[in-house]
Amino acid sequence: MDLRERISGLMPQVREELAELVAIKSVADPRQYPPEECRHAADWVRTKFRELGFADVDLEETADGSLAVVGSRNCPNPQAPTVLLYAHYDVQPPLDDTAWQTPPFELTEKDGRWYGRGTADCKGNIVAHLTALRALDDEVPVHLKLVVEGSEEQGTGGLEAFVPDHADLLRADAILVCDTGNAAVGRPAATVSLRGMVNVVVTVQALTSEVHSGMFGGAAPDALAALVAMLATLRDSAGNTTIDGLDNTDTWSGEPYPPEQFRVDAGLLDTARLLGDGTVSDMLWARPALTILAIDCPSVLGSAAAIAPRARARLNLRIPPGLHPERAQQALIEHLRSVAPWGTAVDIELEAAGAPFQARTDGPAYRALGAAMQDAYGRPMALLGQGGSIPLCNVFADTYPDAEIVLMGVEEPQALIHAPNESVDPTEIAAMSLVEARFLQLYATTHS
C-alpha cells in the first residue's frame, strides 16, 4: 500500500481526532476561557505524539506561563538529518458567536468542509503531522523533534523566549513551521516571505476640555479634525501607503495573486476598487501597508454640539522584508508629527513591533518540498508571501542560522482563519499529510 492509500485509510481517524481537538476551548486568555482548557489540549497533543514514538515528549512551561509540547524521536541512521515539526494548539476566540453558522467548538461538516475554531489554524496542522507519521509508520527516515506551542495567537512570546534558552533541545537541519497554507484548495505553496509590523497609538489634544461648537467653533482647533487630517496623509488617492521615508514602489517576484481571486477572498463589494498602483502581490507582500485599526472619539449616539478636545487612533503598519521595524517605526512617528496641524499636542506610543522574515529557498529542504508537493498535488509548488507576522520564524533564523525554515500548512483563503466560520477542506489535510510524509522521505536522500 502506498502513502496516498494509507493516508486515505486514516482520514476517519483524522476527523475523529480533529473533532476532539476542536472541542477543547484552548484560547490562551484566562479572561475568556479557563486555563485548564489549554492544559487539556497540551496533554492531548503530548499523548498522541507519545503513541507515535516520541518517548521523551513532555510539557515545558514558557515565560508567559503557556505550555509547549516538546519531544524527539530518532531513526536508526545516526547520519540522518533532523527535522523539527512545529504547530500550535491554542486558537483565536470565536469572536461573534451569533455570526457562526455552526457551533464554534464542535466539528461540523457542511458542503464538504469541516467547520470549527482551529480546524485550519492550527489544529488541522497538528493532525496532519500525526497522519504523515502514521502513514510512514516505522519507516521515518529522519530524526524528528517536535514543538507545539500554546500561546501563538496571543503574541505574548512564550516560545520565542524559550527557543534561544533551549537551543540544543530544538536544534534541527530543517524546520517545518506548519501554520500557513496554500494559494487555494489544490494549489500547493510554500510561504517564503512574512511582513513585519509596527503598531502605534497616536493621541492628539487641542483643548483642555469640550467646548460648545456654536460659541467656539471656527477659531478653536478640533482634535478629531486634526487627527482625521493626519490620517488622511497616510494614503494617496490611489490607496498607496505614503509615509515619508518609506519606499512604496517595490515589486513581488513570486506567485501572482489574481485580482479576481483576491476580490472573492477578501469579500470586496462589487463597487469597491483595489488599492494601490501595483499588483495585488506587490501591495500585499512587497510594500508597506498602513491600516487604521481603531479610533477613540465621541460616538454618534449621544454626541453633543461640542468640539472634541482629544482623539486617538490605533495604527498598524505592515512592513516587507528588507525594512527594519525600528526604521519603519521612526518614519511613521516623524511623519505623524510633521503633519499634525494647528499646533496640536501629539503623543505617540509604540505598542508592538516585529521584524519581517524572508526564507532561504535554495537548499535541499526546499528541493525536497517542491518534489513532494509535485507528487502530492500533480502541479508545481508556488512561492507565496503572507501579510501576517510570525515572530518565531525570526527567532528560529537567529538561533539556527544554518537551518532551512519551511512555512506550509492546511490553511487557504476559504479557511477564514481568525474569523467566524473558520473551516478546513479535508482534502487539504490529506494532501498536506502526504506532502509531509514524502518530504521526510526525499529530504533524507537529498540532504548533504
Side-chain angles (χ1 to χ4, degrees):
M1 184 182 298
D2 67 12
L3 285 174
R4 194 183 299 271
E5 291 174 330
R6 291 180 191 174
I7 289 170
S8 178
L10 289 167
M11 288 307 291
Q13 184 175 4
V14 168
R15 176 169 180 164
E16 178 183 333
E17 290 186 332
L18 188 56
E20 292 175 4
L21 258 184
V22 167
I24 304 172
K25 302 174 182 178
S26 50
V27 177
D29 185 351
R31 299 169 300 180
Q32 301 183 67
Y33 290 89
E36 291 77 19
E37 294 282 346
C38 282
R39 175 66 188 236
H40 183 189
D43 284 334
W44 189 98
V45 173
R46 174 174 59 177
T47 298
K48 294 298 180 180
F49 280 93
R50 181 171 289 164
E51 292 171 354
L52 292 179
F54 289 75
D56 64 347
V57 68
D58 211 342
L59 306 184
E60 299 282 351
E61 185 171 353
T62 69
D64 63 4
S66 65
L67 297 172
V69 185
V70 178
S72 63
R73 169 180 165 173
N74 290 326
C75 74
N77 178 11
Q79 304 303 315
T82 299
V83 177
L84 173 63
L85 307 179
Y86 167 88
H88 64 86
Y89 62 78
D90 67 304
V91 297
Q92 286 281 330
L95 301 177
D96 182 2
D97 284 1
T98 63
W100 282 80
Q101 299 171 8
T102 64
F105 292 109
E106 179 181 325
L107 189 72
T108 307
E109 184 169 355
K110 181 181 177 183
D111 299 327
R113 296 182 69 91
W114 295 346
Y115 285 79
R117 177 57 90 217
T119 48
D121 182 22
C122 179
K123 292 175 177 179
N125 289 304
I126 294 174
V127 297
H129 282 320
L130 294 169
T131 306
L133 297 181
R134 288 185 181 125
L136 291 169
D137 197 18
D138 293 330
E139 300 175 359
V140 178
V142 301
H143 305 300
L144 293 174
K145 293 186 178 181
L146 172 74
V147 61
V148 182
E149 71 169 310
S151 61
E152 192 275 341
E153 299 292 7
Q154 294 301 310
T156 46
L159 191 62
E160 292 149 47
F162 181 87
V163 170
D165 291 340
H166 302 79
D168 288 339
L169 188 63
L170 300 175
R171 191 177 305 280
D173 300 294
I175 302 172
L176 301 188
V177 178
C178 292
D179 191 20
T180 60
N182 291 332
V185 173
R187 292 177 55 196
T191 298
V192 298
S193 170
L194 297 171
R195 285 197 290 194
M197 51 84 85
V198 172
N199 276 11
V200 301
V201 175
V202 54
T203 302
V204 179
Q205 182 156 357
L207 304 168
T208 57
S209 68
E210 289 83 356
V211 294
H212 194 284
S213 61
M215 296 176 63
F216 297 97
D222 177 338
L224 180 54
L227 178 62
V228 169
M230 293 164 62
L231 299 181
T233 68
L234 297 172
R235 287 187 184 270
D236 63 18
S237 59
N240 297 293
T241 293
T242 50
I243 297 172
D244 294 339
L246 298 187
D247 182 18
N248 64 359
T249 62
D250 282 346
T251 57
W252 173 253
S253 59
E255 182 80 358
Y257 199 149
E260 61 278 7
Q261 183 63 49
F262 178 80
R263 295 187 69 92
V264 173
D265 294 343
L268 266 69
L269 297 179
D270 292 341
T271 56
R273 294 183 300 172
L274 295 174
L275 299 184
D277 54 18
T279 66
V280 171
S281 299
D282 294 339
M283 304 303 295
L284 292 181
W285 304 324
R287 301 180 182 182
L290 191 287
T291 299
I292 303 168
L293 300 180
I295 296 179
D296 282 344
C297 60
S299 65
V300 172
L301 182 63
S303 58
I307 301 173
R310 67 186 63 81
R312 66 175 184 164
R314 184 173 181 238
L315 310 180
N316 170 249
L317 176 62
R318 298 286 175 169
I319 56 176
L323 180 56
H324 196 281
E326 287 187 6
R327 179 172 163 242
Q329 166 197 330
Q330 193 60 36
L332 177 58
I333 290 173
E334 291 178 359
H335 178 102
L336 290 169
R337 291 193 184 283
S338 70
V339 298
W342 314 321
T344 51
V346 176
D347 178 74
I348 301 173
E349 172 193 354
L350 175 65
E351 187 179 62
F357 171 77
Q358 185 79 46
R360 294 185 294 109
T361 61
D362 56 353
Y366 273 87
R367 290 194 293 272
L369 182 68
M373 287 192 168
Q374 179 72 49
D375 287 353
Y377 284 91
R379 60 189 302 167
M381 173 180 73
L383 300 181
L384 302 180
Q386 188 181 103
S389 303
I390 306 179
L392 182 63
C393 289
N394 295 92
V395 175
F396 280 145
D398 292 341
T399 308
Y400 312 115
D402 296 327
E404 290 185 76
I405 301 172
V406 174
L407 289 95
M408 64 183 202
V410 303
E411 303 161 20
E412 35 75 32
Q414 292 182 62
L416 296 179
I417 64 171
H418 292 205
N421 302 305
E422 179 181 350
S423 67
V424 69
D425 190 315
T427 65
E428 288 292 272
I429 295 180
M432 291 307 297
S433 299
L434 179 56
V435 166
E436 183 170 320
R438 284 294 290 140
F439 167 81
L440 296 177
Q441 290 178 328
L442 294 167
Y443 185 55
T445 62
T446 60
H447 179 269
S448 58

